[in-house]
Amino acid sequence: MKDKRPVLSKKLDNFFRGLADAFAFVKRFFQEVWFPPYEFKEILRQCYEIGYRSLPLISLTGFIIGIVFTNQSRPSLAEFGATSWLPALISIAVVRALGPLVTALIAAGKVGSSIGAELGSMKVTEQIDAMEVSAINPFKYLVITRTLATTFMIPVLVMYTDFVALMGSFINVNQNELVSLSTFFVQVFESISFLDIFSSVIKSLVFGFTIGIVGCYKGYNSTKGTEGVGQAANSSVVMSMFLIFIEELLALQIVNAIRYA
Amino acid sequence: MRESVIEIRNLYKSFGDNDVLRGVDLDLYKGENLVVLGKSGSGKSVLIKILVQLLKQDEGYIKILGKDLSKLNLRELNQLRLKIGFAFQASALYDSMTVRENLEFPLTRNVKNLSRKEIDYKVERLLDSVGLPNTINQMPSELSGGQKKRIGVARTLILNPEIMFYDEPTAGLDPITCIDINNLINQVREEYKTSSIVITHDLTCAKVTGDRMAVLVKGQFKAVGSFEDVFENASDPNIKSFYDYNFIK
């Protein structure tokens, strides 16, 4: 018979077991993603669900961020007679930090919770088991497709959010400082560098991967029936947001080290 | 001597401190319907989940269609799984797919080079044989419990399995639909020449569909034999109370 005594304590054993499971899940993703079948149709369907269906929320949020941030920054710059720097300030803030972070947080809430709940529901209703006993790899069909879709779509959504936020900012600047669209964007592009855009895209890829893999992990390992589905959706959002902030902090250190090297 | 398609010896499984299976021995013979009976939580579903390796046993030897499960790699296990049909308790239909897509899904992923015409023929023939040809474009959410069970069985039959596992096939259904499902289980054996394990706590289902009964009590089989052998002269109080409750004595 199996020895059931805990190695450290029951709680610590469960914590380390959970950590090992999570690493094994990520490892399995990287082991299986390269090999067929590639499930292109399902990846495209997920890209549509994650990307296209998030557009209204992302558009509204991006636009409001652009307007609000411009409005809030104006008084500080006006004290130094520097309101002409608004486009530069906003573009740096949006492209370097606000765009990726806000998009990722919104996606974690909308997409991460939906992936967690969908897979959690499939798990408790034995749909995942049904795939497995039909000799279909559910990890490939469910996890890899969704994680790839979030990884590809979040950078696209981030670029779109950047653009919409800058348009919101432009409307505000245009109304108050009478700056034309071309002048605004000339200043925007003069103030951001290749490193800003490149780091933003790489960061967004990492955020997208995090949202997808966390949602899938929580849903795929959901237990306790319908209560577990709710828990999977909730913990997907909490864990994704927590990891996104940590990743943002790490990315900032790395990009600054490159910028000032 | 009868040919065993499944041999189980000394099988143990526990979840934490809960010992669910404690040294289970069982054979399923070719062409028979074996009914596994037991109270809720007695480990009936765990047993068949171990047989398709959805759960791993702690100890024990399992041989299915001549293959020792412990010696199979994932590829070989999947080859074996194609010969086993598993009808889940809650049907487990993919709720984002129509009935047609549910049936096509295992077929198109496991059988290469099938034409659209061949796929349609197989799907329509199976829906006919389970008596639900008009549900082909419906979503699972639009089906009744009994219809879902039938579609679930049809989905497993699309790969022509040699062995069928039915997990609580009549649970949650009205008595008339239960009769339909029991008849379907017998019809599947006749048409597809399958050997089956039926997991249930419904003695009517057991009596109608089973050639042999195996009663699981506290993680071990307490009685194995025909319905009459097991129940009519039962001395074990667990088995006796099970019978009395089902037939309202």
Side-chain angles (χ1 to χ4, degrees):
Chain A
M1 290 290 290
K2 205 169 70 172
D3 187 2
K4 292 168 198 156
R5 283 173 303 175
V7 180
L8 298 166
S9 76
K10 216 170 181 176
K11 274 189 178 173
L12 276 175
D13 275 14
N14 285 339
F15 172 75
F16 284 114
R17 203 170 290 131
L19 209 60
D21 281 350
F23 276 111
F25 196 80
V26 176
K27 187 179 152 203
R28 188 174 171 192
F29 174 88
F30 286 108
Q31 279 173 334
E32 295 198 11
V33 70
W34 317 108
F35 302 105
Y38 295 113
E39 307 288 0
F40 289 118
K41 207 175 149 190
E42 183 63 10
I43 293 173
L44 282 177
R45 195 177 75 84
Q46 291 302 326
C47 285
Y48 173 80
E49 291 289 330
I50 290 160
Y52 182 72
R53 287 188 188 272
S54 301
L55 280 182
L57 186 60
I58 295 279
S59 305
L60 186 70
T61 317
F63 193 70
I64 290 171
I65 281 174
I67 292 176
V68 170
F69 195 64
T70 308
N71 236 357
Q72 298 288 1
S73 307
R74 182 174 290 107
S76 306
L77 289 180
E79 274 185 36
F80 301 99
T83 47
S84 60
W85 287 1
L86 265 172
L89 174 75
I90 303 298
S91 62
I92 287 172
V94 165
V95 173
R96 284 189 192 171
L98 278 177
L101 198 59
V102 168
T103 310
L105 292 177
I106 289 172
K110 188 182 178 296
V111 178
S113 63
S114 128
I115 292 176
E118 186 188 9
L119 264 61
S121 154
M122 291 185 78
K123 177 77 177 178
V124 300
T125 55
E126 297 179 310
Q127 292 174 51
I128 293 179
D129 287 346
M131 282 187 194
E132 208 157 339
V133 296
S134 306
I136 296 163
N137 184 345
F139 194 89
K140 263 202 174 294
Y141 187 75
L142 299 171
V143 177
I144 290 181
T145 54
R146 278 158 182 76
T147 308
L148 284 180
T150 53
T151 310
F152 295 145
M153 290 319 290
I154 298 300
V156 176
L157 286 175
V158 165
M159 282 188 261
Y160 175 75
T161 310
D162 289 353
F163 173 73
V164 174
L166 289 173
M167 286 310 291
S169 173
F170 163 70
I171 289 171
N172 192 296
V173 170
N174 178 261
Q175 293 294 306
N176 291 283
E177 279 84 23
L178 304 174
V179 172
S180 71
L181 185 69
S182 59
T183 311
F184 180 87
F185 274 100
V186 164
Q187 217 182 330
V188 163
F189 284 112
E190 274 177 358
S191 55
I192 52 175
S193 62
F194 173 75
L195 180 63
D196 292 328
I197 295 172
F198 182 73
S199 63
S200 169
V201 170
I202 298 295
K203 207 160 59 173
S204 311
L205 284 169
V206 175
F207 290 164
F209 175 78
T210 304
I211 293 165
I213 202 84
V214 169
C216 289
Y217 175 72
K218 293 290 179 183
Y220 205 81
N221 293 294
S222 153
T223 51
K224 298 182 196 167
T226 46
E227 186 195 342
V229 177
Q231 279 177 2
N234 182 274
S235 57
S236 300
V237 178
V238 174
M239 183 57 78
S240 298
M241 286 186 174
F242 175 73
L243 290 174
I244 285 166
F245 282 121
I246 303 255
E247 287 161 1
E248 173 69 29
L249 201 65
L250 287 174
L252 180 71
Q253 304 304 316
I254 295 167
V255 172
N256 277 350
I258 296 170
R259 196 187 309 276
Y260 303 117
Chain B
M1 195 164 154
R2 300 178 72 183
E3 182 191 345
S4 282
V5 287
I6 296 181
E7 284 174 47
I8 303 168
R9 298 289 176 267
N10 207 27
L11 190 68
Y12 284 86
K13 176 70 186 173
S14 57
F15 297 97
D17 297 333
N18 182 18
D19 296 325
V20 179
L21 301 177
R22 308 177 195 194
V24 165
D25 294 323
L26 192 70
D27 286 278
L28 174 70
Y29 298 115
K30 194 175 172 68
E32 79 165 341
N33 278 359
L34 172 70
V35 176
V36 175
L37 289 147
K39 289 196 294 188
S40 298
S42 60
K44 310 184 294 289
S45 299
V46 169
L47 175 68
I48 52 170
K49 283 185 178 171
I50 289 174
L51 294 180
V52 287
Q53 294 289 282
L54 284 175
L55 295 171
K56 303 283 177 206
Q57 68 270 35
D58 296 335
E59 265 181 50
Y61 165 82
I62 302 168
K63 200 170 177 183
I64 299 181
L65 297 169
K67 304 233 162 79
D68 180 350
L69 285 196
S70 63
K71 290 181 181 158
L72 300 182
N73 58 31
L74 184 63
R75 193 188 158 92
E76 290 163 336
L77 176 64
N78 278 335
Q79 289 299 317
L80 182 65
R81 281 171 169 166
L82 293 177
K83 296 175 184 169
I84 301 170
F86 197 122
F88 286 85
Q89 181 172 356
S91 310
L93 298 180
Y94 309 124
D95 47 23
S96 60
M97 299 181 192
T98 63
V99 168
R100 178 197 290 277
E101 289 164 342
N102 260 282
L103 266 68
E104 282 178 10
F105 190 64
L107 186 66
T108 51
R109 270 163 176 76
N110 288 302
V111 186
K112 302 291 169 204
N113 304 322
L114 278 176
S115 68
R116 184 72 248 171
K117 210 174 162 186
E118 286 171 305
I119 295 169
D120 285 345
Y121 172 75
K122 274 179 172 276
V123 168
E124 283 160 19
R125 193 176 64 92
L126 265 169
L127 284 177
D128 268 344
S129 76
V130 297
L132 294 169
N134 298 327
T135 58
I136 192 159
N137 293 317
Q138 283 182 278
M139 298 300 287
S141 58
E142 298 169 314
L143 303 173
S144 69
Q147 286 176 322
K148 280 183 190 170
K149 297 251 182 189
R150 284 170 169 270
I151 302 292
V153 172
R155 186 178 64 186
T156 66
L157 290 174
I158 205 148
L159 292 169
N160 292 318
E162 292 176 38
I163 298 170
M164 281 293 294
F165 297 146
Y166 300 92
D167 191 3
E168 303 280 10
T170 57
L173 300 178
D174 65 84
I176 308 294
T177 312
C178 286
I179 295 171
D180 290 343
I181 296 293
N182 293 341
N183 291 339
L184 178 65
I185 292 171
N186 287 332
Q187 179 197 330
V188 166
R189 177 172 59 169
E190 296 303 317
E191 276 183 35
Y192 294 87
K193 310 291 175 212
T194 54
S195 317
S196 311
I197 294 181
V198 182
I199 300 290
T200 187
H201 50 240
D202 171 4
L203 282 197
T204 311
C205 169
K207 195 169 186 180
V208 173
T209 60
D211 302 309
R212 278 195 309 144
M213 314 288 131
V215 187
L216 198 55
V217 180
K218 291 176 185 162
Q220 286 180 322
F221 283 115
K222 290 284 178 197
V224 180
S226 69
F227 189 88
E228 290 72 23
D229 291 344
V230 169
F231 288 108
E232 289 186 359
N233 301 311
S235 55
D236 186 309
N238 289 301
I239 299 172
K240 202 167 175 330
S241 65
F242 202 82
Y243 181 82
D244 290 349
Y245 176 76
N246 267 268
F247 291 99
I248 319 172
K249 276 194 178 172

